[in-house]
Amino acid sequence: IVWACSGEDRFQHTYPFMRFGSAAEVREQLWKWELSYAAQFVALEFFFRGFVVHGTKHRFGAYSVYVMTFPYVMIHFGKPWPEALASVVAGVVLGYMSLATRSVWLGASLH
């Protein structure tokens, strides 16, 4: 689904975030960009699935996944609407995966 959507104009207009001017710039900067982008996804998983889900599961139980999903979806506002809509499903699935495995690493690798 991601591959099919990636060719649409709304996704092409939004992504990639990093635009390069030359092949030399790609060789010099791409690894830094990819490393920081991956770190951002790991931090995102630690915050939403780690801090929010596991921090509130003692109070809300499995509903902590929905507590986390609401602000998770909000960070997708302004992106193409299929991505924003898919973030609802992804938030719930990744949240339950984190609860089941008691880890954020599976979500970080999938994200």
Side-chain angles (χ1 to χ4, degrees), residues 12-24:
Q12 290 290 314
H13 194 66
T14 304
Y15 299 105
F17 290 131
M18 182 77 168
R19 308 263 187 212
F20 296 106
S22 68

Side-chain angles (χ1 to χ4, degrees), residues 36-111:
S36 64
Y37 202 50
Q40 177 261 330
F41 280 121
V42 170
L44 187 116
E45 288 297 321
F46 267 92
F47 178 74
F48 286 105
R49 263 60 85 178
F51 180 72
V52 178
V53 170
H54 293 283
T56 62
K57 70 182 177 186
H58 302 293
R59 181 176 185 114
F60 299 113
Y63 292 110
S64 64
V65 171
Y66 300 103
V67 170
M68 169 276 304
T69 300
F70 186 72
Y72 179 71
V73 170
M74 290 175 65
I75 68 168
H76 292 84
F77 290 172
K79 294 186 176 185
W81 71 265
E83 181 179 354
L85 190 61
S87 71
V88 175
V89 175
V92 171
V93 169
L94 293 172
Y96 277 111
M97 283 177 24
S98 182
L99 273 180
T101 63
R102 294 182 296 163
S103 174
V104 298
W105 290 109
L106 183 58
S109 65
L110 289 173
H111 210 150

